Amino acid sequence: MNNNRRNNNFTHNVLFYAVMFLCIMGIAYFFLGGNQSNGQSKTVSQTEFISELKSNKIKSVQLQPNGGVYHVTGTYRKPQTNNNSTSGFALATQRDSKVSQFESSVLESDVTVNQLQKYADRHNVKISTHAEESNSVWMNLLLTVLPLVIMIFFFYMMMGQAGQGGGGRGVMSFGKTKVKPADPKKNKVRFSDVAGEEEEKQELVEVVEFLKNPKKFTRLGAKIPSGVLLEGPPGTGKTLLARAVAGESGVPFFSISGSDFVEMFVGVGASRVRDLFDQAKKAAPSIIFIDEIDAIGRRRGNGMGGGNDEREQTLNQLLVEMDGFQGDEGVIVMAATNRSDVLDPALLRPGRFDRKILVGRPDVKGREAILRVHAKNKPISPDVDLKEIAKQTPGFVGADLANLLNEAALLAARRNKNEIDASDMDEAEDRVIAGPAKHDRVESAEERKTVAYHEAGHTIVGLVLNDARVVHKVTIVPRGRAGGYAIMLPREDQMLMSKKNAKEQIAGLMGGRAAEELIFKSQSSGASNDFEQATQIARAMVTQYGMSDKIGPVELQSSGQVFTGQGYDQSPYSQKTAALVDEEIRRILSEGHEEALHIIETHREQHKAIAEALLKYETLNEKEILSLYRTGKMPEKAQATANEAAYAKTFEESKRALERKEDEKRENKSDDTSATAQLAASEQPTQPPTPAQSTQPSAADKASSHEGQDQPESHDDTTDSDHDE
């Protein structure tokens, strides 16, 4: 049957191109060969030619023999009237036009060249004879047809490429889906490779069991969900879960992105949906996985694109295909999105995507499990505590944690280490949060001091208001756009945000500006990012969480309200309410600012101690911060670390001095190599510092700048998103 179909397709394609070729040839003949004459030439008969030659109207004649016929072309002495000339492109006859040339044909049996020469000699007419060209007709035909053949060839190649891109070989193959089923034997992903999502995996176990043993469910009258929707933030492992389901069940896995259905041609998306489901039904039991389904599943009727929008047609076809499922077909549709709020309600009703699984951000146990999975193939030093790293990375998803370990491995390789140690993990965490350190950035002493006291202000407020947050690290080393930053970590993972916690976060963000105002009696642009984060928290308190006494327990703005297809000009509340919202936001921010001023004012000595330590050491960890806050001094180990850093600096300076002296000796072409070796042995320190000791240069070794962008708590916004989920 397939062979007959191929033969029929081949026959239809050949006939199609043959008819097209004949049509193009006919058009070309009509325009190019139907009338060789133009407005400057006319065709005359043999009798007219001889008559005009005898009457002295012709100036010159050219003869060319061609198979017993003379092809005659000539020029008139004066332009003649062309009473019967027509143009191949003209629709009406052109009368009374003037021509200066003519064409004719003379049979060799009727007249000879000598006779024509006799007539020409009477009136001094020049006659020339050309040799016979046997291939002139074929040459003209070749020159006429060859460009058309080349054009048809390129047209055929273009249509063939377009057909192959659509999954087939014909012109109409745009409607074929590009996806091919993945080989179940090559899919090595299992549920054991997915960490930190135990509840999500448990929900998908039924899907795997149904694909392996459907009779277990059908004999009890149960019907497996026809669609499973995985929703959650980006990077949480939705696609990995779908691959794990396919790997565990061992069935064909059709994976396609939502954007692959949509093309510039109308109806292609719907055709590809039909073709995809036909392939899945033939390979049943199987899994169809549509990644980023919001590309075609957005809410209909939002006034965008009209009623014949290509995306809406694709969605309609998807709805029809999913609604037509039967329980014994063994085809399950899985889809992933991070914007389930924009999906069409018809797509989410029971019978289609009737099982929704939230793949959220992992908790501390989940993060530890994810770290252990990604650390399997990496040499980790014993001083690395993955549990502690999991506590230090709230809000990180699986992709962030994988990137964290990869950055640590890159740093260890850059430092020529054989293992990834704690210093590499610490630096990698800073790079993921704020970007790479910029030690070479130049800044003035005044600006550096401003940054130190600014970050010390965040730290002091965070230490005083430490019921929910703990100060983990503070630094004035510029990274990315931040001139410095302070990291505040929650004591434990939070799913809810209290009003007290929100106000403490706002006060902590205002600590940098409050310190500048108290110490320097001025304001800088370094608090711009602080204000952005604080304003977001205050607005959420007023419009979403109902934490304003004047507004009351009313939700005025949903977190997922933008671009949900509900319209763009609809205001969620009146102008009077909007003014009241702005007033409440300003009041909350002002209260946080006043509280920060009060805390720093009452803790001047601790604030100064932390700022001076930042100017000296540039980076302080949690233990050092607590020691400065309680005793005003750095712990003894920190002093030893400072001595080690100074020793590392001396070692590097002596090494560079030695290299300079060796370069000078090479330039002078000195032969006394033994003296150079003795000098190297005498100047080099007996024990170089370890790489971990040399990773913290002292404040005197480098200068950094404060760009006016302060970015503390780079991953603290996860509490809000967790609450929203």
Short mmCIF file of all heavy atoms in Angstrom, two decimals, residues 42 241-242 293 410 510 680 705:
data_model
loop_
_atom_site.label_atom_id
_atom_site.label_comp_id
_atom_site.label_asym_id
_atom_site.label_seq_id
_atom_site.Cartn_x
_atom_site.Cartn_y
_atom_site.Cartn_z
N LYS A 42 10.33 44.51 -40.94
CA LYS A 42 9.10 43.87 -41.41
C LYS A 42 9.47 42.69 -42.29
O LYS A 42 10.59 42.58 -42.80
CB LYS A 42 8.23 44.85 -42.17
CG LYS A 42 8.76 45.24 -43.54
CD LYS A 42 7.76 46.11 -44.28
CE LYS A 42 8.28 46.46 -45.69
NZ LYS A 42 7.29 47.24 -46.46
N LEU A 241 11.45 15.90 33.74
CA LEU A 241 10.43 14.99 34.26
C LEU A 241 9.73 14.25 33.12
O LEU A 241 9.47 13.04 33.22
CB LEU A 241 9.40 15.77 35.09
CG LEU A 241 9.71 15.95 36.57
CD1 LEU A 241 8.68 16.89 37.19
CD2 LEU A 241 9.70 14.62 37.29
N ALA A 242 9.41 14.96 32.04
CA ALA A 242 8.75 14.32 30.91
C ALA A 242 9.66 13.26 30.29
O ALA A 242 9.21 12.16 29.93
CB ALA A 242 8.36 15.37 29.87
N ILE A 293 3.84 25.26 25.78
CA ILE A 293 2.55 25.15 25.11
C ILE A 293 1.82 26.49 25.07
O ILE A 293 0.88 26.67 24.28
CB ILE A 293 1.67 24.09 25.81
CG1 ILE A 293 0.48 23.72 24.93
CG2 ILE A 293 1.24 24.56 27.19
CD1 ILE A 293 -0.37 22.60 25.47
N LEU A 410 34.79 25.04 36.87
CA LEU A 410 35.59 25.88 35.98
C LEU A 410 36.63 26.68 36.77
O LEU A 410 37.78 26.83 36.33
CB LEU A 410 34.67 26.83 35.20
CG LEU A 410 33.73 26.18 34.18
CD1 LEU A 410 32.80 27.22 33.58
CD2 LEU A 410 34.52 25.49 33.08
N MET A 510 16.59 49.78 53.18
CA MET A 510 16.79 51.21 53.39
C MET A 510 18.03 51.51 54.22
O MET A 510 18.41 52.69 54.37
CB MET A 510 15.56 51.81 54.09
CG MET A 510 14.30 51.80 53.25
SD MET A 510 14.47 52.87 51.80
CE MET A 510 12.88 52.63 51.02
N ALA A 680 67.68 33.26 42.37
CA ALA A 680 66.30 32.77 42.46
C ALA A 680 66.07 31.98 43.73
O ALA A 680 65.04 32.10 44.39
CB ALA A 680 65.97 31.91 41.23
N SER A 705 35.38 50.11 42.18
CA SER A 705 34.53 51.28 42.02
C SER A 705 33.11 50.94 42.41
O SER A 705 32.68 49.80 42.30
CB SER A 705 34.57 51.77 40.57
OG SER A 705 33.99 50.81 39.73
#
